[in-house]
Amino acid sequence: NAGVTQTPKFQVLKTGQSMTLQCAQDMNHEYMSWYRQDPGMGLRLIHYSVGAGITDQGEVPNGYNVSRSTTEDFPLRLLSAAPSQTSVYFCASSTTGVPRTYFGPGTRLTVT
Amino acid sequence: KQEVTQIPAALSVPEGENLVLNCSFTDSAIYNLQWFRQDPGKGLTSLLLIQSSQREQTSGRLNASLDKSSGRSTLYIAASQPGDSATYLCASTGGGSQGNLIFGKGTKLSVKP
């Protein structure tokens, strides 16, 4: 199993540009989520999904969109990038049976 | 709203020492608590998961305990090694879904040879 994969690893955007961060898991997990990690703030939940076709907002959802058309994929879209979205983004997945959480390697995003 | 606090923020110990990392949370109605390890520039690796009906979990030199009534969890590392140097994060379940995690800010551990 590849586990949780994320692309790209690094990205630089200009203010106002849009982009999609990709996340995929091959463990058939129902639950997937996106976090951002900032110095001094720790990890905060952006959006999450409890299954295909179901998404909901986390603690810091503004400026981000998600969709979940398949069990495997959970992309995060930045609609109009702002410098405040400079961060490291992590995708995670887990299952309801034994909910150990698996994280991807992260995407380091810089918005100039 | 659940809040998770970790003390200390940083810890430096000599190799071979046993050590305890602390985690406290404000809402005792949790589904589970997890301890993670994060190496610089890397993702998080789940070390131990304690479900709400359990008191502790063990994996090798690691032992994690959970006391919901006092809102505390500890991670015990026995016979520390330089390879244990990393940031350790605890996370409890948050609102909305039992998969949602509320993280502490972590303890950065340095084990000196």
Side-chain angles (χ1 to χ4, degrees):
Chain A
N1 286 353
V4 180
T5 57
Q6 291 183 238
T7 56
K9 285 188 167 52
F10 300 94
Q11 184 70 50
V12 179
L13 289 178
K14 294 188 188 305
T15 297
Q17 288 184 317
S18 63
M19 78 159 295
T20 299
L21 280 61
Q22 301 292 343
C23 174
Q25 52 92 10
D26 61 359
M27 298 172 282
N28 202 32
H29 285 172
E30 309 92 349
Y31 179 89
M32 295 185 74
S33 55
W34 278 99
Y35 293 84
R36 60 179 288 174
Q37 185 174 35
D38 302 290
M41 300 294 293
L43 282 121
R44 294 177 292 169
L45 181 66
I46 305 171
H47 284 287
Y48 66 96
S49 168
V50 298
I54 306 168
T55 64
D56 207 342
Q57 296 179 351
E59 182 185 353
V60 288
N62 291 343
Y64 308 96
N65 268 0
V66 292
S67 60
R68 182 113 179 256
S69 57
T70 67
T71 299
E72 294 79 20
D73 300 299
F74 190 45
L76 178 72
R77 280 180 286 277
L78 278 69
L79 308 174
S80 177
S84 61
Q85 294 179 304
T86 294
S87 186
V88 182
Y89 292 85
F90 290 102
C91 180
S93 74
S94 64
T95 184
T96 54
V98 179
R100 176 166 287 199
T101 306
Y102 294 81
F103 278 79
T107 294
R108 186 172 295 273
L109 176 69
T110 302
V111 183
T112 60
Chain B
K1 179 188 167 186
Q2 178 76 284
E3 292 182 7
V4 178
T5 303
Q6 290 186 248
I7 295 173
L11 181 64
S12 181
V13 300
E15 181 177 4
E17 199 162 285
N18 302 326
L19 59 101
V20 174
L21 306 181
N22 296 296
C23 173
S24 62
F25 47 94
T26 55
D27 185 350
S28 62
I30 62 173
Y31 290 104
N32 59 65
L33 187 133
Q34 288 187 73
W35 283 92
F36 293 87
R37 169 183 173 138
Q38 185 176 30
D39 293 289
K42 305 290 187 185
L44 284 72
T45 300
S46 179
L47 298 171
L48 290 164
L49 166 71
I50 312 175
Q51 302 205 62
S52 62
S53 58
Q54 299 171 327
R55 293 294 297 248
E56 65 177 347
Q57 283 287 327
T58 297
S59 176
R61 294 183 293 106
L62 306 180
N63 175 276
S65 67
L66 175 64
D67 184 344
K68 290 201 305 178
S69 62
S70 67
R72 296 178 67 178
S73 177
T74 60
L75 178 67
Y76 175 82
I77 302 176
S80 59
Q81 303 170 358
D84 295 330
S85 298
T87 297
Y88 292 82
L89 297 137
C90 76
S92 81
T93 48
S97 165
Q98 66 174 315
N100 293 353
L101 299 177
I102 304 292
F103 282 86
K105 293 181 181 177
T107 294
K108 186 174 182 179
L109 174 65
S110 176
V111 181
K112 305 293 187 186

